[in-house]
C-alpha cells in the first residue's frame, strides 16, 4: 500500500466548477499535512497547509480527518489557471512524503 | 533573486558517464534536500542535509553522492549513470524551526536523460 494515495485523474472540469480532491495516508504517526501544486514541467510549490480544524484560503478549502487518515482539497469557482497537478503531502520522521498527484484540467 | 537554483536545467548523457548537478539557495535555510521525480510523477526524497550534515539518506544506490560545501549549497554527483537514472531531480530547502515546520522551496529541476 502506498504511503500517500491519490486519484491520479485527470479531472476535466469547466471554468466555474467546484472540484474536490481526496487523499489518504497510511501512517497514523504522520504529523503535518500539506497540498502542493505542480504546473507542467515545473517545480512543486506549497499551496496550503492542512489543519485539523480545516482551513480556507480564498477559493481553496482544505480539511483533515485524522481518525480516517483522510485529507481533502476543495476548489470553488475553478479558473483556467488552476490547471495543474495537486500533490497531497504528509510528514513522517522528518521527511515529506508525496502522493502521486491529481491532475486537474480546467476548460473554457 | 532566484530562491533555489539548479544547474544544469537539462542534462543528456550516455550510460556509464559521471555527472554532477549543482544546487544553491539564497533563502538562509539550514536544510536542503534532493528529490527524484520519475516518469510516473512520484516525487521521492533521496537525501537531506542540515547545516552541512547528512540527516536523511534513503535507499539510494551508492553511485549517488551528495556533497554540501556549505549550508547554501548541496550538489549531487552520480557515477556510472544507468538508464533508470533518467528522471527529474529537484533540489529543495527549508527552515526547520520545529519538528512541525516543513514548508519546502523547490528549485526548477534538472531533467536528466541517460541514453
Amino acid at each position: 500500500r502506498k504511503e500517500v494515495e491519490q486519484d491520479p485523474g485527470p479531472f476535466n472540469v469547466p471554468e466555474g466548477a467546484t472540484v474536490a480532491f481526496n487523499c489518504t495516508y497510511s501512517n497514523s504517526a504522520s504529523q503535518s499535512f500539506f497540498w502542493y501544486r505542480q504546473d507542467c514541467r515545473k517545480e512543486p510549490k506549497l499551496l496550503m497547509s492542512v489543519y485539523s480544524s480545516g482551513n480556507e484560503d480564498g477559493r481553496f478549502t482544505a480539511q483533515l480527518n485524522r481518525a480516517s487518515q483522510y485529507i481533502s482539497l476543495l476548489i470553488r469557482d475553478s479558473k483556467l489557471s488552476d490547471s495543474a497537478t495537486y500533490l497531497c503531502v504528509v510528514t513522517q520522521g522528518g521527511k515529506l512524503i508525496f502522493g502521486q498527484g491529481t491532475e486537474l484540467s480546467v476548460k473554457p | 533573486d532566484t530562491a533555489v537554483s539548479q544547474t544544469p536545467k537539462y542534462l543528456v548523457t550516455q550510460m556509464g558517464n559521471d555527472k554532477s548537478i549543482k544546487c544553491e539557495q539564497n533563502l538562509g535555510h539550514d536544510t536542503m534536500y534532493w528529490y527524484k521525480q520519475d516518469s510516473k510523477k512520484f516525487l521521492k526524497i533521496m537525501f537531506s542535509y542540515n547545516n552541512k550534515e547528512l540527516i536523511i539518506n534513503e535507499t539510494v544506490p551508492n553511485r549517488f553522492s551528495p556533497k554540501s560545501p556549505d549550508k547554501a549549497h548541496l550538489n549531487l554527483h552520480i557515477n556510472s549513470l544507468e538508464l533508470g537514472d533518467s528522471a527529474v531531480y529537484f533540489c529543495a530547502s527549508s527552515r526547520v524551526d520545529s519538528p512541525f515546520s516543513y514548508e519546502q522551496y523547490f528549485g526548477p529541476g534538472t531533467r536528466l536523460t541517460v541514453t
Side-chain angles (χ1 to χ4, degrees):
Chain A
R1 183 184 171 186
K2 295 191 187 87
E3 293 173 286
V4 179
E5 294 209 55
Q6 297 180 249
D7 180 346
F11 282 49
N12 296 306
V13 304
E15 268 188 292
T18 295
V19 60
F21 303 138
N22 302 320
C23 167
T24 56
Y25 59 96
S26 60
N27 190 334
S28 59
S30 297
Q31 299 161 319
S32 302
F33 308 88
F34 307 92
W35 284 100
Y36 273 70
R37 169 188 169 138
Q38 186 172 22
D39 291 314
C40 187
R41 300 179 77 87
K42 298 282 191 181
E43 71 273 21
K45 291 184 179 178
L46 179 67
L47 178 66
M48 59 197 300
S49 301
V50 187
Y51 304 115
S52 296
S53 53
N55 49 299
E56 190 173 303
D57 183 0
R59 298 180 293 108
F60 298 83
T61 301
Q63 299 225 303
L64 166 66
N65 184 323
R66 283 188 185 267
S68 304
Q69 295 178 204
Y70 170 92
I71 305 161
S72 66
L73 177 68
L74 185 77
I75 305 175
R76 289 181 300 279
D77 188 23
S78 300
K79 312 289 185 194
L80 296 177
S81 57
D82 292 335
S83 297
T85 295
Y86 291 83
L87 302 165
C88 177
V89 185
V90 307
T91 61
Q92 287 173 26
K95 299 182 293 187
L96 291 188
I97 309 295
F98 285 78
Q100 185 180 7
T102 298
E103 186 182 341
L104 172 66
S105 180
V106 182
K107 307 289 188 188
Chain B
D1 59 346
T2 304
V4 183
S5 59
Q6 292 179 231
T7 54
K9 191 167 184 182
Y10 299 96
L11 185 52
V12 181
T13 188
Q14 291 184 324
M15 282 175 58
N17 284 348
D18 302 339
K19 290 293 178 186
S20 291
I21 307 172
K22 294 187 176 182
C23 177
E24 177 181 1
Q25 54 95 4
N26 62 6
L27 296 166
H29 289 168
D30 48 22
T31 306
M32 296 184 71
Y33 311 82
W34 277 110
Y35 286 86
K36 178 180 180 180
Q37 188 168 40
D38 60 25
S39 57
K40 294 185 179 177
K41 306 296 184 188
F42 273 105
L43 195 63
K44 288 191 177 176
I45 191 166
M46 301 172 69
F47 302 103
S48 173
Y49 271 74
N50 180 267
N51 283 321
K52 303 194 299 175
E53 281 193 37
L54 181 66
I55 55 171
I56 293 174
N57 184 348
E58 291 295 283
T59 324
V60 177
N62 57 16
R63 299 181 294 104
F64 290 78
S65 52
K67 282 193 173 50
S68 181
D70 56 61
K71 73 174 195 177
H73 295 84
L74 180 62
N75 304 323
L76 183 65
H77 188 75
I78 315 171
N79 290 327
S80 303
L81 278 154
E82 300 177 357
L83 292 176
D85 297 333
S86 295
V88 182
Y89 292 84
F90 287 101
C91 176
S93 73
S94 68
R95 183 169 62 90
V96 183
D97 293 317
S98 74
F100 306 102
S101 171
Y102 286 109
E103 180 176 358
Q104 294 188 10
Y105 294 80
F106 284 78
T110 296
R111 190 169 295 273
L112 171 65
T113 303
V114 182
T115 62

